[in-house]
Amino acid sequence: MVIACVVVAVFYIGIPLCEPFFVNRLFRYGVVIANSLALGYVVAATGAFLSVASVKYVNQEYLARTSGIMSAASIAAMPVLSFLISGLVSFVTTAQCFIFSGACALLECIWILKNKGIEGNM
């Protein structure tokens, strides 16, 4: 989980901060593609890890309810956050939004380390 948070933070913070170092358009696209592939792999691996952890730690009788609630919350959050971000972008730049997202991922990483991950909270 900590590695996932760090990779997400590096992805979101790295792209806007490394922009001055992009020497040409092809190099920029290569860096963004490589970062996106790394992010996609880590997000998929983290999703698999969380699925296994939920099966391990949630009682069998509550597993379907927990899965349904988490799916519904995720799906409901998408349009709400999209609306909020679209309004926010009119006041700040996209790069600032990316840096803020990366900072939130780092804060989550610190929270996980402080609370000893999933096993420390179960």
Side-chain angles (χ1 to χ4, degrees):
M1 291 299 297
V2 173
I3 292 170
C5 289
V6 169
V7 169
V8 169
V10 166
F11 174 79
Y12 281 115
I13 293 173
I15 289 178
L17 291 183
C18 290
E19 189 175 357
F21 301 111
F22 294 148
V23 291
N24 62 23
R25 183 175 272 179
L26 187 61
F27 180 70
R28 177 185 312 161
Y29 291 152
V31 169
V32 171
I33 289 170
N35 281 340
S36 297
L37 289 173
L39 179 68
Y41 175 77
V42 168
V43 167
T46 303
F49 169 75
L50 290 175
S51 294
V52 170
S54 67
V55 169
K56 182 178 178 181
Y57 293 115
V58 175
N59 290 339
Q60 188 72 21
E61 58 207 33
Y62 297 117
L63 195 56
R65 292 180 190 139
T66 304
S67 176
I69 290 170
M70 292 306 292
S71 296
S74 298
I75 291 170
M78 278 189 251
V80 172
L81 289 175
S82 295
F83 176 74
L84 292 175
I85 290 172
S86 66
L88 182 66
V89 172
S90 63
F91 299 107
V92 297
T93 65
T94 305
Q96 290 170 333
C97 287
F98 268 60
I99 291 170
F100 177 75
S101 297
C104 288
L106 285 177
L107 290 174
E108 181 181 354
C109 182
I110 292 168
W111 182 81
I112 290 171
L113 284 171
K114 181 182 173 197
N115 291 309
K116 297 180 181 89
I118 291 175
E119 291 183 8
N121 292 321
M122 296 291 164

